[in-house]
Amino acid sequence: MTTIVVVRKDNLVAIAADTQSTFGDTRLGHLHDAQPDKIFSSHGSLFGLCGSAAHDLVLQAILAKTRTLDFSNRVGIFDAFRKLHPKLKEDFFLKPEEEEDDPYESSQITALIANTHGIFGVYSMREVYEYRHYWAIGSGRDFAIGAMRAVYDDPGLSATDIARIGVEVGCEFDVGSSLPMTLQTIELAPTK
């Protein structure tokens, strides 16, 4: 339950997230959560995770112990999560089971990654996508994607503006998301 978005426009990348956590029928908003920020930095990248609240601390801990990971492109990110998967199981007791007929064990993590190389999404079976313009994850994703699509081509709006709109609309219509949001930006590396 969340709304997390990434946007790439011109030479800027933005990642933004709501600040609500949900435990069954109980909502933990930013006024009661001492650390409501769902975005963290590691390996020159910004990460936003949805799913179990445990993922945040687990991924931060495992990334802090694993220095040689590449998050600069699809192949590098795939390889990073492939290397992390056994550690998630052995050191953090990940339960990799989802559906019986799944082709691979699940890492149970859905994440958006923003860095100087672009914007990426990672899904439970270590599928990695690179996005050209924008994307969203979490229970508010459909609202956020629709809102960002509606305004992306407006020349007066930056990546930051579009990310803000995505999270605001996600929070307006999704019961699992609420404001305020956190938002961070990175300039893209010059293309060669």
Side-chain angles (χ1 to χ4, degrees):
M1 301 286 232
T2 192
T3 302
I4 303 174
V5 306
V6 288
V7 180
R8 176 183 181 154
K9 188 171 182 184
D10 300 324
N11 68 335
L12 195 65
V13 167
I15 184 169
D18 78 304
T19 52
Q20 175 180 310
S21 292
T22 307
F23 309 96
D25 291 335
T26 304
R27 184 183 121 186
L28 178 62
H30 75 283
L31 294 176
H32 303 287
D33 189 345
Q35 303 213 358
D37 194 347
K38 297 177 182 179
I39 300 167
F40 69 88
S41 177
S42 183
H43 291 75
S45 298
L46 297 169
F47 293 80
L49 309 174
C50 70
S52 172
H55 293 331
D56 183 62
L57 289 173
V58 166
L59 200 55
Q60 286 188 57
I62 200 168
L63 290 173
K65 292 179 181 180
T66 314
R67 294 285 173 205
T68 58
L69 297 174
D70 176 14
F71 293 98
S72 65
N73 57 55
R74 266 184 91 215
V75 174
I77 294 168
F78 169 78
D79 195 50
F81 275 85
R82 183 189 59 76
K83 289 175 182 174
L84 293 174
H85 185 74
K87 293 178 184 188
L88 288 168
K89 289 180 4 180
E90 294 163 18
D91 298 345
F92 296 93
F93 312 105
L94 171 75
K95 291 178 148 185
E97 299 82 19
E98 278 190 14
E99 303 297 322
E100 187 177 308
D101 59 346
D102 282 343
Y104 301 99
E105 286 185 344
S106 172
S107 292
Q108 305 284 353
I109 292 174
T110 301
L112 291 177
I113 301 170
N115 58 42
T116 61
H117 304 283
I119 56 176
F120 306 90
V122 180
Y123 297 88
S124 63
M125 294 191 197
R126 293 159 304 285
E127 309 102 309
V128 179
Y129 294 90
E130 180 174 5
Y131 302 109
R132 293 179 191 263
H133 305 294
Y134 51 85
W135 201 250
I137 58 173
S139 54
R141 73 184 168 277
D142 292 341
F143 304 114
I145 289 170
M148 292 186 297
R149 172 63 188 99
V151 299
Y152 186 84
D153 293 330
D154 183 332
L157 295 178
S158 68
T160 303
D161 299 326
I162 296 163
R164 186 172 284 117
I165 290 166
V167 173
E168 286 172 350
V169 172
C171 291
E172 184 172 343
F173 294 102
D174 175 47
V175 298
S177 304
S178 65
L179 296 172
M181 77 178 76
T182 57
L183 188 145
Q184 295 189 44
T185 59
I186 300 175
E187 285 191 28
L188 288 167
T191 55
K192 295 176 184 178

